[in-house]
């Protein structure tokens, strides 16, 4: 099942057709406990309606200092994972060093029936 769907229903968000939202992981401490200075991720998502543009409609950010500072990732499409579910990867980016790792997925321009993103999985790479 998906982790999140962000879109607007008529009436729920004032009838907006440009809904935004986000979700943030809990902090992850590396097994070795050492500080990390670069992070990447793999994202599994579905265009439930319309087509979501990576880095515009779906934006991924990573942090190593428990979310005090986030750095934008550059998501790139890497094909289909399974029926309807797509894969995007973000190569490692430099972050403020730390050992409390987080990711944040931001959504923009979501509208019920015309553009709906669903996230099925996120893997933080460090």
């Amino acid at each position: 099942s998906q982790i999140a769907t962000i879109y607007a229903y008529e009436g729920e968000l004032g009838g907006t057709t440009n809904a935004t939202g986000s979700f943030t992981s809990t902090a992850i401490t590396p097994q070795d406990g050492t500080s990390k200075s670069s992070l990447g991720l793999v994202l599994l998502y579905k265009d439930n309606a319309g087509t979501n543009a990576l880095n515009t409609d779906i934006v991924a950010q990573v942090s190593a200092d428990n979310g005090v500072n986030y750095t934008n990732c550059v998501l790139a499409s890497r094909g289909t994972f399974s029926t309807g579910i797509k894969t995007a990867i973000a190569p490692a980016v430099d972050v403020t060093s730390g050992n409390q790792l987080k990711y944040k997925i931001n959504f923009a321009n979501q509208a019920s029936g015309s553009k709906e993103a669903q996230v099925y999985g996120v893997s933080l790479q460090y």
Side-chain angles (χ1 to χ4, degrees), residues 36-74:
K36 305 299 175 186
S37 59
S38 66
L39 302 170
L41 58 78
V42 177
L43 176 74
L44 299 178
Y45 72 99
K46 180 178 180 182
D47 289 322
N48 192 54
T51 302
N52 287 276
L54 296 174
N55 306 305
T56 301
D57 301 321
I58 303 172
V59 176
Q61 297 178 304
V62 290
S63 171
D65 60 3
N66 203 26
V68 174
N69 297 289
Y70 278 99
T71 301
N72 283 352
C73 295
V74 179

Side-chain angles (χ1 to χ4, degrees), residues 25-126:
S25 71
T26 58
I28 301 162
T29 303
Q31 279 186 313
D32 63 8
T34 63
S35 288
K36 305 299 175 186
S37 59
S38 66
L39 302 170
L41 58 78
V42 177
L43 176 74
L44 299 178
Y45 72 99
K46 180 178 180 182
D47 289 322
N48 192 54
T51 302
N52 287 276
L54 296 174
N55 306 305
T56 301
D57 301 321
I58 303 172
V59 176
Q61 297 178 304
V62 290
S63 171
D65 60 3
N66 203 26
V68 174
N69 297 289
Y70 278 99
T71 301
N72 283 352
C73 295
V74 179
L75 291 167
S77 178
R78 286 297 181 257
T80 302
F81 175 74
S82 67
T83 305
I85 299 176
K86 300 176 181 181
T87 304
I89 65 164
V93 293
D94 291 337
V95 296
T96 302
S97 187
N99 66 356
Q100 294 294 299
L101 317 180
K102 284 186 170 185
Y103 63 80
K104 184 177 184 180
I105 307 298
N106 301 293
F107 301 90
N109 308 312
Q110 304 293 294
S112 181
S114 63
K115 189 178 287 188
E116 299 173 14
Q118 295 179 335
V119 173
Y120 283 77
V122 180
S123 174
L124 187 62
Q125 308 294 309
Y126 60 90

